[in-house]
Short mmCIF file of all heavy atoms in Angstrom, two decimals:
data_model
loop_
_atom_site.label_atom_id
_atom_site.label_comp_id
_atom_site.label_asym_id
_atom_site.label_seq_id
_atom_site.Cartn_x
_atom_site.Cartn_y
_atom_site.Cartn_z
N ARG O 21 -66.24 49.50 147.94
CA ARG O 21 -64.79 49.41 147.85
C ARG O 21 -64.22 50.07 146.75
O ARG O 21 -63.25 50.97 146.79
CB ARG O 21 -64.29 47.89 147.91
CG ARG O 21 -62.86 47.87 147.66
CD ARG O 21 -62.35 46.36 147.72
NE ARG O 21 -60.92 46.28 147.36
CZ ARG O 21 -60.20 45.21 147.55
NH1 ARG O 21 -60.76 44.01 147.95
NH2 ARG O 21 -58.97 45.13 147.16
N VAL O 45 -59.34 60.68 169.06
CA VAL O 45 -58.58 59.81 169.82
C VAL O 45 -58.51 60.30 171.32
O VAL O 45 -58.70 59.61 172.30
CB VAL O 45 -57.17 59.72 169.33
CG1 VAL O 45 -56.14 59.08 170.30
CG2 VAL O 45 -57.23 58.85 168.01
N ALA O 67 -56.16 56.32 163.40
CA ALA O 67 -55.33 55.20 163.82
C ALA O 67 -53.95 55.66 164.09
O ALA O 67 -53.39 55.15 165.17
CB ALA O 67 -55.31 54.13 162.74
N LEU O 82 -62.63 48.45 154.46
CA LEU O 82 -63.13 47.78 153.39
C LEU O 82 -62.29 47.93 152.15
O LEU O 82 -62.19 47.02 151.19
CB LEU O 82 -64.61 48.17 153.09
CG LEU O 82 -65.37 47.44 151.89
CD1 LEU O 82 -65.47 45.92 152.35
CD2 LEU O 82 -66.69 48.06 151.82
N SER O 100 -45.90 51.94 164.42
CA SER O 100 -46.23 50.72 163.76
C SER O 100 -47.71 50.37 163.98
O SER O 100 -48.18 50.41 165.22
CB SER O 100 -45.39 49.57 164.23
OG SER O 100 -45.73 48.40 163.60
N CYS O 124 -63.59 57.55 162.50
CA CYS O 124 -63.61 58.98 162.15
C CYS O 124 -64.23 59.12 160.73
O CYS O 124 -63.51 58.71 159.76
CB CYS O 124 -62.19 59.46 162.21
SG CYS O 124 -62.08 61.20 161.92
N GLY O 196 -77.91 51.61 171.96
CA GLY O 196 -78.87 51.02 172.91
C GLY O 196 -78.53 50.91 174.34
O GLY O 196 -77.66 51.74 174.95
N PHE O 220 -64.27 74.41 145.65
CA PHE O 220 -64.74 73.27 146.49
C PHE O 220 -65.22 72.03 145.78
O PHE O 220 -64.84 70.93 145.87
CB PHE O 220 -65.69 73.72 147.47
CG PHE O 220 -66.78 72.64 147.92
CD1 PHE O 220 -66.37 71.59 148.64
CD2 PHE O 220 -68.06 72.72 147.45
CE1 PHE O 220 -67.33 70.62 149.07
CE2 PHE O 220 -69.03 71.78 147.76
CZ PHE O 220 -68.68 70.70 148.48
N LEU O 268 -65.19 77.52 155.41
CA LEU O 268 -66.32 76.57 155.42
C LEU O 268 -66.28 75.91 156.77
O LEU O 268 -65.24 75.42 157.22
CB LEU O 268 -66.18 75.48 154.40
CG LEU O 268 -66.30 76.01 152.94
CD1 LEU O 268 -66.04 74.88 152.00
CD2 LEU O 268 -67.62 76.65 152.65
#
Side-chain angles (χ1 to χ4, degrees):
R21 173 176 173 171
V45 168
L82 185 66
S100 178
C124 185
F220 147 75
L268 295 173

